[in-house]
Amino acid sequence: LTADALVNALCTRAMDIGAERVLVRLTPQQARDAAAALIKALYGRLFGWIVSRANEGLACDKTCTVSAFVGVLDIFGFERFET
């Protein structure tokens, strides 16, 4: 993905009108909203990947006697992700 392609994706919207595709320029606020949505999606995917990797590292076979988990405390409260 090039910088130009990212800027184009965040600053325009494609509309199909009949057989023709028209690019419509977004307002500055709409572009900020698009960037915020992209950031939120990337953060969510990255967070899920990190928790998954941590759980893989904590995993053990059936001979384990200790249960391990990942706990996350954020501004919304405590969540427990069991392995």
Side-chain angles (χ1 to χ4, degrees), residues 13 31 49 81:
R13 175 181 63 226
W49 179 81
F81 300 95

Side-chain angles (χ1 to χ4, degrees), residues 44-59 69-70 72 81-83:
R45 295 286 301 263
L46 179 60
F47 181 81
W49 179 81
I50 290 170
V51 169
S52 176
R53 293 293 304 223
N55 285 335
E56 288 172 14
L58 293 171
F69 72 94
V70 172
V72 178
F81 300 95
E82 294 186 26
T83 57

Side-chain angles (χ1 to χ4, degrees), residues 9-39:
L10 293 175
C11 295
T12 60
R13 175 181 63 226
M15 294 178 56
D16 292 328
I17 302 173
E20 186 177 347
R21 175 163 278 198
V22 177
L23 291 179
V24 177
R25 213 174 253 280
L26 299 178
T27 66
Q29 183 60 51
Q30 289 171 325
R32 282 190 293 274
D33 292 344
L38 175 62
I39 291 166

